[in-house]
Amino acid sequence: MKLGVLISGRGSNMVAIAEACAAADFPAEVAVVVADTPAAAGLEKAAAAGLATAVVEPGEFAHRGAFEDALAATLAHHGAEGVCLAGFMRLLTGRFLDQFPGKVLNIHPSLLPAFPGLDVQQKAIDHGVRFSGCTVHFVTEAMDAGPIVLQASVPVLATDDADTLAARILEQEHRLYPEAVRLFAEGRLSVAGRRVLVDSD
Ligand code: GRF
């Protein structure tokens, strides 16, 4: 399966996916990495890994719909069949999602449905939860609310600040996202209401 990976920043999850894709038996390849800003540090990492890159900036379009059309056209141009959001800091509407129905994944650094949105490591600490983690989910129009594919948990320690917790979670993200992409690319995921069924024959 050809993948388009959308980033806004550092791109460490993009790198984790690309590294997994480099293995001979992995059922997916990264066709293009697209950023919504030329400042995304992940663009250089993608180029260094020999991946095609593109920048589609919302400011260059008259309205969000036109931006989403350009994003979808860029992905289609590179033959992307599936889309991985990897630190992509924008909500996507049906106008984009309908062009990749059931084919858009995201990773979020909390155990959803707890702590959707931003600054979620600090929110987890402030709330006093003993465990947090990460979630790979299918993307719907509602933020961080689509059907859950995989989750991994990590302990929240008394000594944690947002940075130490984020680092512990990120380590799991880099393991979990490629695992979810593998299941997705092998066609082993099906969605039944809110639940994602994994065919593990
Ligand atoms: C990750 O924590 C991811 O879960 C969240 O944004 C961060 C992106 O990090 N959606 P990176 O750009 O993949 O390094």
Side-chain angles (χ1 to χ4, degrees):
M1 178 186 276
K2 289 190 169 194
L3 300 173
V5 183
L6 304 190
I7 64 170
S8 298
R10 179 176 59 183
S12 71
N13 278 287
M14 175 275 295
V15 169
I17 291 168
E19 285 179 357
C21 286
D25 68 337
F26 200 83
E29 63 181 283
V30 176
V32 64
V33 174
V34 187
D36 62 349
T37 166
L43 283 171
E44 276 187 22
K45 296 175 188 168
L51 303 174
T53 63
V55 177
V56 183
E57 282 187 274
E60 290 182 359
F61 300 90
H63 53 85
R64 179 152 88 165
F67 164 68
E68 291 194 351
D69 288 348
L71 199 56
T74 301
L75 291 164
H77 173 73
H78 289 272
E81 302 150 276
V83 180
C84 295
L85 309 188
F88 186 68
M89 302 305 285
R90 274 172 205 286
L91 292 177
L92 293 166
T93 71
R95 183 158 171 161
F96 176 88
L97 296 172
D98 288 350
Q99 301 193 52
F100 298 93
K103 302 283 185 199
V104 186
L105 293 172
N106 181 43
I107 189 155
H108 180 78
S110 77
L111 292 176
L112 291 171
F115 313 122
L118 298 174
D119 299 324
V120 296
Q121 295 90 350
Q122 190 60 52
K123 284 176 185 160
I125 291 169
D126 292 346
H127 199 87
V129 295
R130 297 293 187 186
F131 288 89
S132 189
C134 52
T135 303
V136 178
H137 64 92
F138 282 109
V139 175
T140 58
E141 278 197 297
M143 182 183 63
D144 300 328
I148 290 168
V149 179
L150 294 176
Q151 293 186 301
S153 62
V154 305
V156 180
L157 307 180
T159 50
D160 270 333
D161 59 23
D163 290 339
T164 59
L165 179 58
R168 192 175 307 116
I169 293 171
L170 197 63
E171 204 179 314
Q172 294 303 312
E173 293 185 42
H174 295 163
R175 181 184 65 76
L176 197 73
Y177 211 171
E179 191 181 329
V181 168
R182 173 187 282 280
L183 294 171
F184 174 56
E186 286 175 344
R188 287 163 63 188
L189 302 178
S190 57
V191 179
R194 276 220 49 87
R195 303 184 71 190
V196 176
L197 306 177
V198 181
D199 175 12
S200 39
D201 45 73

